[in-house]
């Protein structure tokens, strides 16, 4: 079977249905601009501030769409997921809003700040060993006991459709966008955005921002170059939200709709974080700065010299400053 | 002469004129909300995000109004000011926009990041000894040589009127505000806001947020208690934007129009910074977090139990993270 001719898992109507479904719960996030960053990039940059989304990241859109798409009967049995990051908090929050039970399995290396976020939405995390097998086994156990529905982090049509609502808003807010740069991990966000944006504006370019990490493992770039879903070792990157791998459904979207992949180093990600915090005055987590790093990369204009108005998704702002630099806050009190 | 009956230096019409004068240059800053901070305070909080103002702080409003109020003849000779902080950058930027020369005197202890901000608006700072006498002497020298107009940081009607434009926007954006909390230093911002807000909505409360600093020097609270402009030693506080003292004009406004002063500790300021950055996802400098600290202080509801909708000015976001915690950014690169 030729993958490229396979039907895409989501269409524009699905994204529009997601937008209606989540409209009572999700924020329409603002678009920011910054003269300094535009000058540095040589472009006119427009930043979609998903850092202001509920839960502090875009993940709420997909989780909310998935959970509100459940039938009453399914929903009554609750939901379960595993996550070391923003998806777990997003599922907990969306379940709280629907008034159904949620279970969130977290690996033992999950930072306290992420566990606290899950707890703040009324869910006590279930801790398991830090392997994918242990995470899946813990979820299966919950499902066997309760019949809870599993909410996957990215490789599911309802999740992809939810994340795609970013593009509907972005193109309404900035109709002149010629390209959208999207950080990529499991590919849920870029798949949804690509489906919706290209349906509304066929000429728009969708560009993935992918950290190479310390082990140089850029799997999206490798898959695109190979023309197939290649398996690479897990990346090691400060972009802790970008350590997943493309799934079967998201790869289909990426293969067909993503125009280019800009790879970025760890140093470029940190420089982008610093610029965003010092010049735009907003907080981004490393994964959230990956798109900014790509916008500032010379690769972008070399390969797409025709671009002027470029959108960048600031996809998450859940930074753990104290975890990275212990004593950071108390240092402000000393002379 | 009875100070309290003396005419105020600025009236609503003056603030409205300032709003027209700066409208081509200054941003109308957004109002943010945050469920967590509202819950913690027991209030419905509305944050006026002057961190997104040009130059990263409210200071641009007053500097812009002052510089664009000059006659062509005055303006042609340029402007001069002294500042260790946001006012210097604001004057440099406003002068650049009017196309006139600016001189900015900075004390020798001014951090490199603040000097870089002034340079980014085309002005090379003039460095002097870190005393008020040396700063004033350096300005006088520039004035004697060029006839440049001095742009004072707060104790001037055009500056006060410019800062007051915050209140015009804030009450249009959130008409239901019952109080506005304003960090106070020299008093230019709170004076302008008090004049405009009370003219538009006489029942509104204007509340000063004042750090006690490490030496417990809260001069606005002391002046209000004494009913006169008392001279106190310079405060020592991490709120480096709040180390000035009330002037003759701003004291008149504070004495007549400011309803209360909430004093806050250094620890409360740092806790507020952390909450704003972690939960609201925006960057504030310590001075910019002072109003948030006051909103979270139990003093507020104890003394004003009737309040529900409270505005807080996030007045500046020019944080020098690397200066306070050397190596901060490189720490993101290490495992």
């Amino acid at each position: 079977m030729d993958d490229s001719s396979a039907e895409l898992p989501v269409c524009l109507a699905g994204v529009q249905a997601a937008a209606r479904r989540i409209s009572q719960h999700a924020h329409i996030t603002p678009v920011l601009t910054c003269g300094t960053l535009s000058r540095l990039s040589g472009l006119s940059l427009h930043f979609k501030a998903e850092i202001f989304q509920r839960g502090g990241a875009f993940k709420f859109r997909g989780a909310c769409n998935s959970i509100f798409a459940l039938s009453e009967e399914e929903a009554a049995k609750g939901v379960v997921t595993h996550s070391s990051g923003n998806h777990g908090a997003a599922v907990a929050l969306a379940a709280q809003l629907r008034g159904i039970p949620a279970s969130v399995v977290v690996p033992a290396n999950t930072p306290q700040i992420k566990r606290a976020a899950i707890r703040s939405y009324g869910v006590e995390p279930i801790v398991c060993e830090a392997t994918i097998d242990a995470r899946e086994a813990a979820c299966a156990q919950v499902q066997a006991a309760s019949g809870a529905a599993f909410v996957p982090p990215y490789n599911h049509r309802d999740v992809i459709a939810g994340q795609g609502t970013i593009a509907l808003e972005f193109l309404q807010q900035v109709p002149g966008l010629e390209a959208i740069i999207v950080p990529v991990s499991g590919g849920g966000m870029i798949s949804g955005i690509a489906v919706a944006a290209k349906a509304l504006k066929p000429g728009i370019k969708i560009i993935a921002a992918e950290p190479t990490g310390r082990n140089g493992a850029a799997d999206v770039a490798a898959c695109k170059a190979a023309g197939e879903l290649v398996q690479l070792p897990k990346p090691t990157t400060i972009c802790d939200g970008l350590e997943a791998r493309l799934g079967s459904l998201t790869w289909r979207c990426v293969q067909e709709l993503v125009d280019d992949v800009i790879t970025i180093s760890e140093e470029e990600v940190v420089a982008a974080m610093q610029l965003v915090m010092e010049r735009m005055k907003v907080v981004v987590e490393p994964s959230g700065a990956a798109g900014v790093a790509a916008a500032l990369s010379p690769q972008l204009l070399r390969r797409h010299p025709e671009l002027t108005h470029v959108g960048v998704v600031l996809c998450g702002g859940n930074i753990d400053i104290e975890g990275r630099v212990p004593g950071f806050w108390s240092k402000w009190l000393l002379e």
Side-chain angles (χ1 to χ4, degrees), chain A:
Chain A
M1 178 179 140
D2 177 8
D3 265 341
S4 68
S5 70
E7 204 187 338
L8 291 174
V10 178
C11 62
L12 176 62
V15 179
Q16 289 167 329
R20 286 189 296 275
R21 197 175 283 127
I22 71 176
S23 63
Q24 296 300 307
H25 308 292
H27 294 324
I28 293 178
T29 53
V31 173
L32 310 177
T33 59
C34 174
T36 302
L37 281 164
S38 284
R39 269 192 301 280
L40 286 172
S41 68
L43 297 159
S44 178
L45 296 177
H46 307 265
F47 299 96
K48 182 69 171 158
E50 287 298 293
I51 54 174
F52 297 138
Q53 189 48 268
R54 294 185 78 167
F58 75 97
K59 287 283 187 182
F60 178 71
R61 294 176 185 263
C64 185
N65 188 47
S66 300
I67 286 173
F68 280 86
L70 296 173
S71 69
E72 285 297 324
E73 198 183 0
E74 290 168 322
K77 296 178 189 157
V79 290
V80 60
T81 197
H82 60 84
S83 163
S84 60
N86 294 325
H87 176 65
V91 166
L93 172 56
Q96 186 183 59
L97 290 166
R98 183 144 185 194
I100 63 173
S103 301
V104 179
V105 172
V106 302
N109 58 354
T110 302
Q112 287 303 327
I113 199 166
K114 301 271 186 184
R115 301 183 193 202
I118 294 165
R119 274 190 209 103
S120 76
Y121 303 122
V123 174
E124 181 58 39
I126 300 167
V127 182
C128 75
E129 211 186 320
T131 67
I132 279 289
D133 286 350
R135 288 162 64 154
E136 288 177 350
C139 284
Q141 207 176 336
V142 172
Q143 288 185 280
S146 62
F150 180 64
V151 183
Y154 52 87
N155 202 42
H156 188 282
R157 60 173 60 230
D158 290 336
V159 176
I160 294 170
Q163 321 304 27
T165 61
I166 294 169
L168 302 185
E169 293 172 20
F170 211 172
L171 279 170
Q172 189 158 37
Q173 291 164 314
V174 192
L177 286 181
E178 297 153 1
I180 304 179
I181 300 177
V182 189
V184 65
S185 177
M189 178 168 50
I190 200 167
S191 294
I193 287 176
V195 165
K198 295 223 165 177
L200 292 169
K201 190 170 180 175
I204 198 167
K205 285 188 173 171
I206 304 296
I207 297 171
E210 183 177 34
T212 55
R214 286 187 297 134
N215 53 346
D219 83 316
V220 180
C223 291
K224 286 289 276 184
E228 61 178 345
L229 189 51
V230 295
Q231 296 297 329
L232 283 179
K234 192 172 175 305
T236 318
T237 167
I238 53 162
C239 300
D240 55 349
L242 302 182
E243 293 189 339
R245 291 301 183 192
L246 293 174
S248 55
L249 302 179
T250 55
W251 163 241
R252 287 231 297 279
C253 298
V254 167
Q255 181 177 32
E256 190 162 328
L257 300 176
V258 170
D259 296 280
D260 198 1
V261 183
I262 303 286
T263 54
I264 50 188
S265 69
E266 302 287 280
E267 288 76 10
E268 287 172 316
V269 168
V270 172
M273 276 178 74
Q274 182 172 4
L275 279 166
V276 169
M277 291 177 64
E278 288 185 354
R279 306 306 302 240
M280 293 182 67
K281 317 296 180 191
V282 298
V283 176
V284 281
E285 58 188 271
S287 311
V292 181
L296 297 173
S297 164
Q299 294 169 75
L300 182 65
L301 274 179
R302 180 173 301 134
R303 303 208 300 239
H304 306 277
E306 77 290 355
L307 291 178
T308 302
H309 287 281
V310 173
V312 179
V313 184
L314 296 179
C315 53
N318 294 321
I319 194 176
D320 183 12
I321 294 179
E322 190 71 25
R324 176 61 63 164
V325 184
F328 175 80
W329 295 106
S330 66
K331 284 188 177 127
W332 288 85
L333 292 173
L334 307 173
E335 191 53 9

